[in-house]
Amino acid sequence: MTAKRVVTAKRAFDVAGGTLLLLALSPLIVGTALSVALGGGGGTGALLRRRTVAGLGGRPFTMLTFRTKSPLAALPLLLHVVTGRMSLVGPCPLAPTHRECAGEGRRRLSVRPGLTGPWQISGRSDLPWEERELLDLHYVDHHWLGMDLLVLARTLPAVRRRRAARFA
């Protein structure tokens, strides 16, 4: 399969998967938005948190998340997946000025940042930064749709394990 076909298949998967997830999770998205708006989201002020990150080719965009400290904060990222700024699976989104967006790490900008990725299922905040960087660069160099499916299948259990550990 050529690189162009892989990119096209990945993008088609992102659009289809992102759209299905948006539809399936729409009641949860609305409920989370209401909870944050009514003050249950862990802060006051705006409903959404805005953060500038480097997208495909290093083009910056404003990433939106809910103002809550739960995994539900990431639900608005599905809009970025559907619109093509992000992918379901990819490297961790970083600020354009982050040191890993320069030098050898610039390779990470050849793919869209991901809603999840190898960094998410491998311990995320428990990993040293260098290891997260290696996971991202390995993904950039070797990704394929099968790897994306594996990462997606392992994401929810990884999030549940971390959440359970926090409350134990």
Side-chain angles (χ1 to χ4, degrees), residues 40-161:
T44 58
L47 179 67
L48 297 170
R49 180 174 288 120
R50 291 163 165 68
R51 188 174 127 213
T52 301
V53 296
L56 184 63
R59 288 183 296 281
F61 71 94
T62 302
M63 187 173 79
L64 303 173
T65 55
F66 282 128
R67 285 191 176 275
T68 179
K69 292 180 173 70
S70 76
L72 301 177
L75 290 172
L77 297 179
L78 288 169
L79 293 170
H80 297 308
V81 171
V82 172
T83 60
R85 291 187 177 114
M86 292 183 74
S87 180
L88 289 172
V89 179
C92 179
L94 297 175
T97 56
H98 194 281
R99 67 181 175 86
E100 297 309 323
C101 291
E104 165 123 8
R106 186 148 178 79
R107 283 195 338 256
R108 70 187 351 272
L109 302 176
S110 65
V111 298
R112 290 174 177 86
L115 181 69
T116 187
W119 48 273
Q120 177 82 343
I121 62 173
S122 300
R124 196 177 181 178
S125 59
D126 299 332
L127 294 176
W129 179 255
E130 294 78 17
E131 197 168 330
R132 284 185 272 177
E133 176 188 3
L134 288 174
L135 287 169
D136 277 350
L137 292 178
H138 182 270
Y139 176 83
V140 168
D141 294 339
H142 303 286
H143 72 279
W144 58 290
L145 204 49
M147 181 187 287
D148 284 8
L149 293 172
L150 179 64
V151 169
L152 287 169
R154 293 180 58 196
T155 295
L156 189 56
V159 170
R160 283 186 182 154
R161 273 192 309 276

